């Protein structure tokens, strides 16, 4: 007979057995038994004490996205459990694997409105792949193994284990067996040969094909397969926001970002193409615009691990249900070599207009206050286009995503589906801890930074080397832009009175400086990147700066504004 241990210790040992070496969390009454046992395992399991439970989930997302391994969070019950809701919802929308462990009152108190009791499973079921309450110590190893299997297979996502306090204190004979099968859960379906052939026939007959590369390409690690597929068939590649960095920015077939603030060529040519190959993306409304006017001449080939995405937003002509990398490997031999040089030239024509009408103004301005675009461009260039870009949400997100350039895979980390302000600071901490060898550049606005600014304390405690670029315009910039364009410049509750961010950073032991003028920018970037440790640049940005091109909400994808007064003219 094996020696019996407590459920709390079984949880720690089960996490280690699943390969976990780093967790993010915050202790409290209903999870104290776990934290007590964690004290004995600090040499095997490092715990990062965040300053707010929401920060734990976003940090775990950052860690998961750069490593491809589930991020793990441990918090207590009640308000701690409700504080992880935003991160869980964000992770589900963006297919990020998380295992979130919450404490719970003892099972005998369940349903009695005990102190800090919350129906965690009831609350989190709609925003997780699996939520389960553990009331017996002997169920902990089984539940942990199952949680990791579900979180990190198929379309990844978050799971929640809600562990009653008596289950943490109860005794069991511990053993751990990895979960490799769950009846009725088929994370990697067998790819249908007929579906492959049907898709190949459509692709081989195309005259104006276009690939839409989504987050699924990154999740499956299919970047090389994507390049081989595109090169053989000579097909231009465009990317969703979360699909950025799935192809290097300087690849001759890469033509830019799709979506509301994407590049002109990908959006215009969506409605010119005759075949669209969508890989690991969900046809979000920010990509499609008015679906009734989306790609009217195109046959749609959709490749995805999640069959529920097929025909959900855009009707398809062929679908392939499977992991992106495996599908592309099987599809490649069926694809003919092709030459689409004339079609590719149309992207270059659009890019020329975009450079003249938008990029010259945003990136290469020589007069007036600095723009977000020029800051992002210069930071990316100074890192050799090798850094991981982490963004918050808003104009800072769109500008930095557009003007950063990507050389390596897994080089952007942003909140896409949920659009969570406050995501970026804790996510950058998790990203740096997951990829310590890479430079992490975090772009944020003055609004988003203040939503989770307490996580500067986490950076201080662990010495996390995150480079923070605060694009400070004293406005909620994205909302301000919409107010100016569509609400008669009625700036309701968007101007902000901000604190001294440099003083705040310094109070947390973080080096920081104000960048007031364009002439100061290059040297400030160099000081930031050469500094060993966290560094903040508080950059003075033109408050009237707006992000273009822009497809207005509800408009057709090719209805593109070049600025507040001019639209792109389709030839």
């Amino acid at each position: 007979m094996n020696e019996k241990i407590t459920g709390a210790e079984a949880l720690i040992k089960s996490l280690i057995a699943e390969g976990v070496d780093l967790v993010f969390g915050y202790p409290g009454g209903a999870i104290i038994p776990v934290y007590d046992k964690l004290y004995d395992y600090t040499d095997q399991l490092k715990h990062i004490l965040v300053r707010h439970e929401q920060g734990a989930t976003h940090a775990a997302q950052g860690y998961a996205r750069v490593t491809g391994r589930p991020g793990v969070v441990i918090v207590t019950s009640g308000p701690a459990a409700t504080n992880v809701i935003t991160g869980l919802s964000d992770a589900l929308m963006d297919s990020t694997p998380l295992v979130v462990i919450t404490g719970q009152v003892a099972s005998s108190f369940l349903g009695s409105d005990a102190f800090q009791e919350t129906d965690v499973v009831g609350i989190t079921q709609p925003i997780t792949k699996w939520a389960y309450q553990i009331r017996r110590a002997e169920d902990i190893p089984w539940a942990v193994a199952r949680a990791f299997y579900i979180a990190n297979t198929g379309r990844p996502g978050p799971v929640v284990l809600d562990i009653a306090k008596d289950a943490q204190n109860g005794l069991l004979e511990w053993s751990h067996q990895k979960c490799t099968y769950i009846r009725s859960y088929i994370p990697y379906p067998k790819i249908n040969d007929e579906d492959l052939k049907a898709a190949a026939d459509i692709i081989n007959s195309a005259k104006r094909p276009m690939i839409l590369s989504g987050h699924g390409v990154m999740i499956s690690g299919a970047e090389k397969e994507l390049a081989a597929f595109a090169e053989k068939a000579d097909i231009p590649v465009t990317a969703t926001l979360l699909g950025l960095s799935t192809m290097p920015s300087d690849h001759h077939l890469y033509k830019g970002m799709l979506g509301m603030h994407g590049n002109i060529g990908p959006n215009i040519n969506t409605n010119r193409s005759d075949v669209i190959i969508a890989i690991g993306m969900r046809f979000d409304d920010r990509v499609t615009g008015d679906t009734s006017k989306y790609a009217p001449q195109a046959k749609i080939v959709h490749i995805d691990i999640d069959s529920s995405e097929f025909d959900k937003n855009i009707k398809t002509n062929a679908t392939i249900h499977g992991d992106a990398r495996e599908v592309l490997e099987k599809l490649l031999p069926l694809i003919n070599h092709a030459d689409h040089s004339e079609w590719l030239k149309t992207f270059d024509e659009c890019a020329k207009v975009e450079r003249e009408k938008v990029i010259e103004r945003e990136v290469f301005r020589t007069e007036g206050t600095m723009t977000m675009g020029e800051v992002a461009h210069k930071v990316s260039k100074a890192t050799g286009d090798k850094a991981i870009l982490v963004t918050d949400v808003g104009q800072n997100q769109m500008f930095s995503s557009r003007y950063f350039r990507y050389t390596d895979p897994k080089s952007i980390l942003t909140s896409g589906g949920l659009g969570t302000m406050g995501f970026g600071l804790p996510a950058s901490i998790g990203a740096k801890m997951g990829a310590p060898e890479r430079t992490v550049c975090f772009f944020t606005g003055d609004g988003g930074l203040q939503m989770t600014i307490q996580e500067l304390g986490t950076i201080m405690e662990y010495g996390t080397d995150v480079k923070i670029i605060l694009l400070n315009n004293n406005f909620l910039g994205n909302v301000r832009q919409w107010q100016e364009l569509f609400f008669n410049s009625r700036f309701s509750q968007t101007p902000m009175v901000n604190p001294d961010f440099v003083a705040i950073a310094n109070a947390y032991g973080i080096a920081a400086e104000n960048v007031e003028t364009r002439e100061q920018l290059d040297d400030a970037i160099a000081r930031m990147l050469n500094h060993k440790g966290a560094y903040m640049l508080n950059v003075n940005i033109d408050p009237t700066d707006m992000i273009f091109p822009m497809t207005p909400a509800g408009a057709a994808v090719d209805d593109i504004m070049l600025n507040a007064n001019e639209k792109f003219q389709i030839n």
Side-chain angles (χ1 to χ4, degrees):
M1 177 181 289
N2 295 327
E3 180 183 358
K4 288 190 174 183
I5 62 174
T6 65
E9 187 171 7
L11 174 65
I12 301 300
K13 290 172 69 70
S14 295
L15 291 175
I16 294 169
E18 288 290 339
V20 178
D21 55 14
L22 184 71
V23 299
F24 303 87
Y26 205 96
I31 200 72
I32 281 181
V34 170
Y35 274 86
D36 181 64
K37 286 300 177 183
L38 182 63
Y39 194 83
D40 299 328
Y41 287 87
T42 53
D43 59 333
Q44 299 177 65
L45 189 60
K46 184 176 182 179
H47 181 278
I48 304 300
L49 178 65
V50 296
R51 281 8 183 204
H52 189 282
E53 293 89 355
Q54 180 183 347
T57 57
H58 295 326
Q61 285 178 273
Y63 177 87
R65 295 263 282 272
V66 300
T67 64
R69 299 161 57 194
V72 181
V73 173
I74 303 176
V75 299
T76 192
S77 62
T82 59
N83 282 342
V84 304
I85 298 301
T86 299
L88 289 170
S89 186
D90 194 293
L92 186 71
M93 290 283 278
D94 286 351
S95 304
T96 305
L98 296 185
V99 175
V100 175
I101 296 157
T102 60
Q104 184 55 275
V105 301
S107 55
S108 60
F109 288 104
L110 289 170
S112 69
D113 292 333
F115 178 67
Q116 292 193 334
E117 179 190 1
T118 300
D119 182 2
V120 174
V121 171
I123 293 171
T124 61
Q125 270 186 331
I127 52 171
T128 57
K129 285 186 74 176
W130 185 51
Y132 184 74
Q133 187 175 80
I134 302 172
R135 301 185 185 185
R136 304 188 313 158
E138 53 264 42
D139 292 336
I140 288 175
W142 167 86
V144 170
R146 188 180 179 97
F148 276 85
Y149 180 63
I150 292 172
N152 208 35
T153 54
R155 182 176 183 172
V159 301
V160 167
L161 296 179
D162 186 47
I163 309 180
K165 197 167 185 180
D166 50 330
Q168 298 171 44
N169 288 322
L171 297 176
L172 73 155
E173 290 184 22
W174 181 81
S175 65
H176 188 78
Q177 182 175 354
K178 283 185 177 289
C179 178
T180 59
Y181 171 78
I182 298 173
R183 189 174 62 181
S184 78
Y185 174 59
I186 306 173
Y188 301 107
K190 186 178 185 301
I191 297 169
N192 187 298
D193 289 340
E194 292 183 3
D195 292 345
L196 289 168
K197 185 179 185 306
D201 288 345
I202 291 173
I203 295 166
N204 288 332
S205 66
K207 303 298 183 186
R208 300 181 304 282
M210 187 166 80
I211 292 171
L212 315 187
S213 178
H215 193 201
V217 174
M218 186 185 298
I219 292 169
S220 68
E223 291 88 354
K224 290 181 180 179
E225 290 75 11
L226 171 67
F229 176 77
E231 289 164 3
K232 183 176 182 181
D234 200 32
I235 300 176
V237 177
T238 62
T240 65
L241 175 64
L242 293 181
L244 293 172
S245 80
T246 53
M247 181 169 270
S249 299
D250 61 358
H251 194 287
H252 72 282
L253 290 175
Y254 178 69
K255 300 303 176 184
M257 184 173 75
L258 297 154
M260 178 176 282
H261 295 294
N263 297 105
I264 292 174
N267 286 330
I268 287 291
N269 281 344
T270 292
N271 283 8
R272 290 172 169 172
S273 63
D274 63 352
V275 171
I276 285 177
I277 306 112
I279 310 173
M281 54 87 71
R282 57 190 176 85
F283 288 108
D284 175 74
D285 61 283
R286 286 294 175 99
V287 166
T288 65
D290 184 348
T291 55
S292 69
K293 299 176 181 177
Y294 182 81
Q297 303 177 72
K299 292 182 177 179
I300 308 293
V301 177
H302 195 176
I303 299 167
D304 208 284
I305 193 73
D306 184 355
S307 61
S308 72
E309 294 295 347
F310 297 149
D311 299 312
K312 185 175 78 175
N313 297 323
I314 298 296
K315 295 298 180 183
T316 59
N317 298 90
T319 62
I320 307 176
H321 185 202
D323 174 76
R325 182 166 62 179
E326 186 181 358
V327 170
L328 290 174
E329 286 175 346
K330 291 180 178 294
L331 194 56
L332 186 62
L334 306 179
I335 298 300
N336 298 334
H337 288 277
D339 180 357
H340 294 117
S341 53
E342 292 303 312
W343 168 236
L344 288 164
K345 287 178 184 176
T346 65
F347 287 87
D348 299 334
E349 293 162 4
C350 291
K352 183 174 183 292
V353 173
E354 185 170 345
R355 184 173 181 89
E356 293 172 355
K357 297 285 188 176
V358 179
I359 297 174
E360 289 290 341
R361 180 184 71 244
E362 287 296 347
V363 176
F364 302 108
R365 188 188 296 187
T366 57
E367 298 179 353
T369 312
M370 285 176 286
T371 67
M372 296 186 185
E374 67 180 299
V375 178
H377 170 75
K378 286 192 172 185
V379 171
S380 180
K381 189 174 181 181
T383 66
D385 301 326
K386 291 277 190 180
I388 294 175
L389 168 66
V390 183
T391 86
D392 209 79
V393 169
Q395 286 180 320
N396 67 86
Q397 176 187 36
M398 293 294 100
F399 273 112
S400 58
S401 298
R402 277 179 54 83
Y403 293 118
F404 237 68
R405 290 175 61 81
Y406 309 97
T407 302
D408 301 317
K410 291 185 171 64
S411 289
I412 183 169
L413 211 171
T414 190
S415 173
L418 199 62
T420 304
M421 290 180 68
F423 169 88
L425 180 58
S428 67
I429 295 170
K432 184 63 180 179
M433 290 180 174
E437 74 286 355
R438 297 188 66 183
T439 300
V440 173
C441 293
F442 163 48
F443 279 75
T444 185
D446 40 310
L449 178 63
Q450 292 181 84
M451 287 195 169
T452 52
I453 197 169
Q454 70 276 359
E455 298 308 331
L456 293 175
T458 307
I459 289 177
M460 174 180 67
E461 179 162 346
Y462 299 99
T464 314
D465 186 3
V466 173
K467 310 306 183 186
I468 304 168
I469 302 94
L470 170 56
L471 303 174
N472 189 348
N473 58 8
N474 294 286
F475 264 95
L476 297 177
N478 212 41
V479 183
R480 184 201 181 280
Q481 175 166 335
W482 282 51
Q483 288 172 332
E484 180 169 338
L485 293 175
F486 310 119
F487 292 88
N488 299 314
S489 295
R490 290 158 59 89
F491 301 129
S492 176
Q493 304 305 312
T494 46
M496 297 192 74
V497 177
N498 285 323
D500 184 338
F501 287 109
V502 169
I504 291 174
N506 289 162
Y508 281 103
I510 296 170
E513 63 178 292
N514 291 310
V515 184
E516 301 288 348
T517 67
R518 181 172 287 107
E519 290 70 29
Q520 299 171 336
L521 183 59
D522 288 341
D523 288 345
I525 292 171
R527 283 191 292 274
M528 175 183 71
L529 294 177
N530 290 329
H531 180 78
K532 292 183 179 180
Y535 204 101
M536 177 191 286
L537 297 183
N538 178 38
V539 186
N540 180 37
I541 295 294
D542 182 355
T544 67
D545 194 15
M546 292 196 282
I547 177 71
F548 290 103
M550 180 179 185
T551 300
V557 70
D558 57 3
D559 184 2
I560 299 173
M561 301 171 65
L562 296 172
N563 52 57
N565 303 305
E566 184 180 4
K567 287 189 175 183
F568 181 81
Q569 298 298 315
I570 301 175
N571 296 324

